[in-house]
Amino acid sequence: MIRTAPASQDGLTIVPHATCTFCGCVCDDIELHAQGDRIVRAKSACSLGESWFKYHTAERNYPDALIDGQPATVDAAVERAAEYLHAAHMPLIYGLSNVTCEAQRGAVSLAELIGAVIDSHTSL
Amino acid sequence: MGGKVSATLGEIKNRADFIMYWGGNPAECHPRHFTRYTLIPKGKFLPNGRKDRTMVLVDIRETASARAADQFLQIRPGKDFELITALRAVVKGLPVDDALVAQTGITTETLHDLARQMKQCRFGVIFFGMGLSMTRGKHMNSAAILTLATELNAFTKFVTLPMRGHGNVTGSDMVMRWNTGYPFGVNLSRGYPRFNPGEYSTIDLLVRGDTDATLVLGADPGATMPQPAIEHLARTPTIVLDPKVTHTSKLARVHITTAATGVSAPGTVYRMDEVPMPLRPALKSPYPTDEEVVLKIIEAVNRKAPFAPRAESMMRTV
Ligand code: SF4
């Protein structure tokens, strides 16, 4: 049986069958060992995948949001973003390759709402 | 990519006895492709794994992947389309001009031998990378290789798959396709989707200065795009959602930090063969996910006057 629930012992959380999204292989057989706010081991991942997992931590290294380069709250930044996108005649939504399908779906709805062009890395 | 003859990586693992990589370097860019999906694993119909499979690599230079190949064909840069076309002719038994074939860097004998191998295999696959789709000919090259695979189905089973890079770029094609009917570069400014690559592609829009606000999600165009595009991003309001403060964040008016996909943000991601995979994040991020922030922006926009009449306001209740 495939055990998917994270097991925890001595502050070490083990997540079996985790998925690596670094390259298009999307390997789903990785065993992640997390300690505190970082991943300390990525069993079965290749060296690219392992460094990707270790590079992203859950530390608070950056301000929640920036408006004109100044730290701001998420709500204020969301409001400002909405103002810009709403005021624009020809807004663009770009990127989408490093986010989940759920976020992509949201982005398409937003594009429809504001009358935007929506585009990804595929067009490069 | 609609209309292509394709298969899942699971099918390829269990059936493919002829594997060709064209213009890609999986050994360095997709390190576990050989071991997990294509060359090495023992499959249902390939009990001896690697021994039962033939692998051919086509590229302009001998990369690390050549060591894994049974045969490496070095072609002249920018001659992909010519070689595919000649191969299509040979597969069909049509005559080809030796001098024209020689220009691709491959001899006519090698070409005939390749066509024979392709026709005689039981299940063939061509993986094509950016070395094919991003050089001279671009999407014409991709179209030619898809046609070659389709035509080979007159002789045996043959499929093609693009070697997609970046995390969930396949997912963005899929999500846009089922929402708008087109995979990328979709213009919704008239309230219905329009598709025209070259006109509605990001670089073209930015270089021409057509846009007047940009939302960047999980990308860093400020580090990778041509200078005029970056200047336009800095001139107009740019909003960035990213787990890090990126180059683009520095020239943007708004940056919002989000949780890292797959590490601390849950959700779904598509594999290169268009199979969706669930994520199992191991960490809890202090930041919201991209999805949460996008939904918040939608709510905030919804509180404003609509840009186009909304359906409800057009409907009459009798
Ligand atoms: S483990 Fe390696 S091959 Fe697998 S998805 Fe991650 S980077 Fe790609």
Side-chain angles (χ1 to χ4, degrees):
Chain A
M1 201 189 84
I2 293 180
R3 190 169 53 93
T4 54
S8 190
Q9 30 165 298
D10 328 323
L12 188 74
T13 310
I14 296 172
V15 182
H17 312 290
T19 310
C20 174
T21 65
F22 183 73
C23 81
C25 284
V26 189
C27 301
D28 59 342
D29 61 346
I30 318 283
E31 187 178 296
L32 294 178
H33 293 210
Q35 195 134 38
D37 46 21
R38 40 180 77 241
I39 290 165
V40 289
R41 193 160 171 223
K43 232 162 110 181
S44 311
C46 70
S47 56
L48 292 182
E50 189 180 356
S51 43
W52 151 264
F53 277 119
K54 288 185 175 168
Y55 175 71
H56 289 277
T57 67
E59 289 165 337
R60 192 179 270 279
N61 286 332
Y62 302 94
D64 285 342
L66 294 168
I67 298 178
D68 296 323
Q70 300 304 313
T73 64
V74 173
D75 287 340
V78 162
E79 202 49 50
R80 182 65 72 88
E83 273 164 32
Y84 283 134
L85 293 173
H86 181 258
H89 294 291
M90 182 68 158
L92 165 69
I93 299 181
Y94 171 72
L96 305 175
S97 38
N98 292 324
V99 301
T100 60
C101 292
E102 288 76 1
Q104 291 163 348
R105 167 119 173 78
V108 176
S109 307
L110 178 60
E112 217 174 326
L113 187 65
I114 58 175
V117 174
I118 180 160
D119 191 24
S120 74
H121 283 111
T122 306
S123 80
L124 288 183
Chain B
M1 224 176 280
K4 70 169 183 275
V5 185
S6 193
T8 63
L9 290 170
E11 209 175 339
I12 289 163
K13 169 185 162 183
N14 283 312
R15 294 173 189 273
D17 60 343
F18 179 88
I19 297 157
M20 175 182 245
Y21 288 91
W22 195 308
N25 180 10
E28 276 163 337
C29 304
H30 297 85
R32 296 182 69 203
H33 209 256
F34 292 153
T35 49
R36 217 168 118 75
Y37 302 119
T38 59
L39 270 193
I40 315 290
K42 291 189 169 66
K44 189 167 179 193
F45 302 102
L46 303 133
N48 305 315
R50 179 68 184 93
K51 279 196 221 83
D52 289 340
R53 308 187 200 250
T54 307
M55 163 159 107
V56 177
L57 178 74
V58 183
D59 210 338
I60 54 167
R61 92 194 98 72
E62 195 168 339
T63 60
S65 301
R67 255 176 282 136
D70 295 303
Q71 192 180 6
F72 168 61
L73 301 176
Q74 185 160 16
I75 63 162
R76 297 231 173 91
K79 290 289 176 196
D80 302 79
F81 186 83
E82 286 79 350
L83 184 58
I84 299 167
T85 311
L87 190 53
R88 281 178 57 201
V90 173
V91 163
K92 287 188 193 162
L94 300 171
V96 289
D97 183 336
D98 288 355
L100 286 178
V101 174
Q103 282 179 19
T104 65
I106 305 292
T107 63
T108 313
E109 292 85 75
T110 314
L111 195 66
H112 277 276
D113 176 57
L114 185 61
R116 188 191 46 77
Q117 286 187 64
M118 292 175 107
K119 284 160 83 168
Q120 284 179 356
C121 74
R122 284 190 298 166
F123 186 117
V125 53
I126 309 173
F127 292 99
F128 61 100
M130 305 231 277
L132 179 74
S133 54
M134 294 287 174
T135 48
R136 178 177 161 264
K138 288 204 162 181
H139 58 275
M140 291 304 292
N141 293 347
S142 312
I145 208 116
L146 297 181
T147 314
L148 169 65
T150 307
E151 289 171 352
L152 278 160
N153 279 279
F155 306 96
T156 182
K157 173 77 186 158
F158 234 94
V159 298
T160 33
L161 260 87
M163 292 291 281
R164 305 305 298 273
H166 282 89
N168 199 19
V169 66
T170 310
S172 80
D173 284 18
M174 301 297 289
V175 171
M176 270 195 255
R177 239 153 64 184
W178 64 260
N179 276 283
T180 71
Y182 302 111
F184 61 91
V186 183
N187 186 346
L188 293 156
S189 65
R190 284 194 191 161
Y192 58 87
R194 288 184 293 158
F195 176 65
N196 194 10
E199 189 177 5
Y200 310 136
S201 318
T202 299
I203 293 199
D204 302 271
L205 286 170
L206 293 176
V207 169
R208 284 197 308 262
D210 282 356
T211 56
D212 55 354
T214 309
L215 171 66
V216 178
L217 257 169
D220 195 6
T224 51
M225 289 218 166
Q227 199 55 32
I230 296 176
E231 280 163 18
H232 189 69
L233 283 173
R235 204 158 42 226
T236 51
T238 297
I239 301 134
V240 176
L241 267 52
D242 204 279
K244 310 231 167 284
V245 173
T246 63
H247 287 96
T248 318
S249 309
K250 291 194 181 122
L251 55 83
R253 308 257 174 103
V254 179
H255 161 92
I256 301 174
T257 311
T258 53
T261 302
V263 175
S264 49
T268 313
V269 159
Y270 274 82
R271 204 164 68 183
M272 61 163 72
D273 57 347
E274 303 179 354
V275 172
M277 298 292 198
L279 298 176
R280 298 203 170 83
L283 302 177
K284 259 202 173 48
S285 174
Y287 304 110
T289 63
D290 294 291
E291 185 193 1
E292 286 163 354
V293 176
V294 169
L295 295 181
K296 276 187 173 195
I297 297 177
I298 292 179
E299 270 172 40
V301 173
N302 263 328
R303 287 194 291 268
K304 300 177 189 300
F307 119 91
R310 296 207 175 126
E312 312 89 73
S313 68
M314 311 263 279
M315 279 189 281
R316 246 187 323 151
T317 36
V318 235

